[in-house]
Amino acid sequence: LITIYNAISGISIPEIEKKYENCENYGVFKKDLAEIVAKLMAEIQSKYYDSSSAIQVIGCVLSDTSLLDDTGEYVFSEDDFCNDFHKMIFGTIYDLITTGAEKLSIKIIEDYLKDKEKSYALYKKNNGAQWLKEVFSNADILNFKYYYNRLKKMTLLRTYESIGYKVIQTDAKIG
């Protein structure tokens, strides 16, 4: 754990040992390490997250639930959405479709969320009904594939960076 702390924070191992030498247990150290790791992950996630693509994907799936059909053409994971609200909304849509909902509406989404206290609070905090109306009406279904590919690209870049690969983005075109 000290090595991880050192690698993320840049603080030398002797400095880390000295900082925590008078602690009665590892709780303080573990809490500080968790905060450092969380901060790093948040930086990686925000660096490689295209919010507009995520919103378009959600809106398109609301408009055309067949995009979630198990054809293998479009595959989603929880890692595709970094924003907690986006993740919760997409997860709700996915759960509703895979459990038999044939047509999505604000009512069915709210009915589903009402039993999930934290999710429903997040939904209300983000004016979920109004957000869903806007996302649905602004969905660009003709360009879904573009937004889906952007979403997956960002997921891949976050994954690479989280396992230690240095990712360099460039606008240069090859060819």
Side-chain angles (χ1 to χ4, degrees):
L1 292 179
I2 290 174
T3 304
I4 294 169
Y5 194 112
N6 161 257
I8 295 173
S9 70
I11 299 171
S12 72
I13 290 175
E15 288 177 275
I16 295 168
E17 289 171 340
K18 183 173 173 123
K19 181 176 179 178
Y20 295 99
E21 70 185 354
N22 293 325
C23 293
E24 291 181 24
N25 60 45
Y26 291 108
V28 174
F29 171 75
K30 287 180 181 178
K31 181 178 178 269
D32 290 351
L33 177 60
E35 288 174 8
I36 291 170
V37 170
K39 182 179 175 188
L40 173 66
M41 294 309 297
E43 288 171 11
I44 290 170
Q45 289 176 345
S46 67
K47 184 176 179 182
Y48 298 113
Y49 189 60
D50 183 347
S51 186
S52 63
S53 290
I55 291 167
Q56 278 296 327
V57 166
I58 292 167
C60 290
V61 169
L62 279 168
S63 298
D64 182 0
T65 59
S66 72
L67 293 168
L68 289 180
D69 287 351
D70 195 14
T71 63
E73 185 174 3
Y74 303 113
V75 178
F76 296 96
S77 81
E78 189 175 287
D79 295 333
D80 292 330
F81 301 92
C82 295
N83 176 296
D84 289 340
F85 180 66
H86 297 166
K87 187 179 290 194
M88 181 272 299
I89 289 291
F90 188 83
T92 298
I93 293 167
Y94 184 84
D95 287 350
L96 285 167
I97 295 303
T98 58
T99 57
E102 293 188 24
K103 184 166 176 31
L104 295 177
S105 65
I106 291 172
K107 180 184 180 339
I108 196 169
I109 289 170
E110 288 183 350
D111 286 348
Y112 177 87
L113 290 172
K114 283 182 182 173
D115 295 334
K116 294 156 183 49
E117 191 176 320
K118 285 183 180 180
S119 295
Y120 194 61
L122 182 60
Y123 176 82
K124 287 296 193 183
K125 178 182 172 190
N126 286 276
N127 297 315
Q130 182 61 37
W131 188 88
L132 286 170
K133 285 178 191 173
E134 289 174 21
V135 166
F136 182 78
S137 67
N138 293 321
D140 185 2
I141 197 78
L142 293 176
N143 290 305
F144 173 77
K145 190 173 245 177
Y146 167 77
Y147 293 115
Y148 171 81
N149 288 334
R150 290 266 319 148
L151 183 75
K152 296 310 274 187
K153 175 185 175 183
M154 294 297 126
T155 301
L156 182 62
L157 292 173
R158 285 191 308 276
T159 301
Y160 281 159
E161 187 142 320
S162 72
I163 60 173
Y165 285 102
K166 205 63 165 161
V167 177
I168 300 171
Q169 277 191 290
T170 179
D171 291 330
K173 295 189 182 209
I174 300 172

